[in-house]
Amino acid sequence: ILAVSSSSCMRSKTWSRYDMLIISLSSSRIFLQCWIILDLFLTIFCEPSYYEENVFFVIKTVYMFLNYSSFWFGAWLSVFYCIKVASFTQSFFICLKQRISRLVPWMLLTSWLYSFAAAIPFIWDVYIVYDNFTAPLPVTNSSKMRTTKKDSLGLLILLCNAGIGIPFILSVFSSVLLIRSLWIHTRQMQNNASGFRDPSLEAHVTAIKSVCSFLILYITYFIAFIFLLCNIFLRFSISKSICIAVMASCPAGHTMVLICSNPKFQELPARIWHHITCPVR
């Protein structure tokens, strides 16, 4: 997806708003998957080095930044699909449809800035946890100061994490609206069908299936992320491993749905497969 969208932008020398969203989402997903693999590798094979102060807070902070970015870009893609495809007659929706192209760059910039700001508190949180783990038992006054600082920082992190509910609500709401619009249009086309195979009707059914798949994967990813964020599972437990596996597989599933639902993204894999299977003459 990243290769096709980037090459399309370079050929046309202009960045379409859809390509901007797709490039941002796919690049954040690629970096997130690589970071998860690096995190697992260091945890398993380099455990003493993993819990060194600098390595630990850098890995966790970047991990949170990439997760926040992935949430926001996925939500904006759902909003973009809804505004561009859904057919509603409300004046507010029509106004958004006319202005969405100008809003996309600001949406992406806001997402990057919010993700960066929301990940910053984890630097101090991880540092305090590391310091509590390695330092000797402090005196009573120092312990109270550290507990107060930890509580206030925990509140700040809780407020930042409450912000992930915004992209979740945006994604769910826009997906439901899009499914409703496509479903109404599909029913109208079925009532007016002449009995022959209608490509437009099949395209609408495929779009409904794709949006439903997006929604299910997004909700599943969100639930697994919340479970890991709350830290309710034991380290190396089966439940925690399942959540990590779900978070690693949902972006891959989302990518496959995007490829299968967009003919433009199917061309490059088809050409690659053709060169592999066809003998060189």
Side-chain angles (χ1 to χ4, degrees), residues 28 32 60-76 111-112 114-122 156-165 167 218 221 225 229:
S28 66
L32 178 60
K60 292 306 177 185
T61 305
V62 174
Y63 174 76
M64 295 307 301
F65 169 75
L66 293 174
N67 265 302
Y68 283 127
S69 302
S70 180
F71 270 118
W72 277 103
F73 295 147
W76 289 135
S111 302
W112 282 111
Y114 173 81
S115 301
F116 179 75
I120 286 177
F122 284 86
L156 179 60
I157 293 176
L158 181 62
L159 293 175
C160 290
N161 289 330
I164 64 176
Y218 195 90
Y221 186 89
F225 179 71
L229 202 61

Side-chain angles (χ1 to χ4, degrees), residues 12 19 42 73 80 121 173 200 246-247:
S12 62
D19 285 333
L42 292 176
F73 295 147
F80 186 83
F173 185 70
S200 180
V246 167
M247 289 188 65

Side-chain angles (χ1 to χ4, degrees), residues 85-88 176-186 204:
V85 178
S87 55
F88 293 105
V176 171
L177 284 179
L178 181 55
I179 292 171
R180 180 177 177 272
S181 177
L182 289 172
W183 178 256
I184 292 174
H185 198 196
T186 302
H204 276 70

Side-chain angles (χ1 to χ4, degrees), residues 229-240:
L229 202 61
C230 295
N231 201 21
I232 59 177
F233 300 125
L234 295 175
R235 187 180 165 202
F236 297 126
S237 64
I238 297 177
S239 301
K240 188 170 184 177

Side-chain angles (χ1 to χ4, degrees), residues 139-165:
V139 295
T140 305
N141 292 337
S142 177
S143 178
K144 288 181 179 179
M145 290 177 60
R146 183 173 298 175
T147 302
T148 304
K149 187 177 181 181
K150 182 73 166 92
D151 292 340
S152 60
L153 193 59
L155 178 61
L156 179 60
I157 293 176
L158 181 62
L159 293 175
C160 290
N161 289 330
I164 64 176

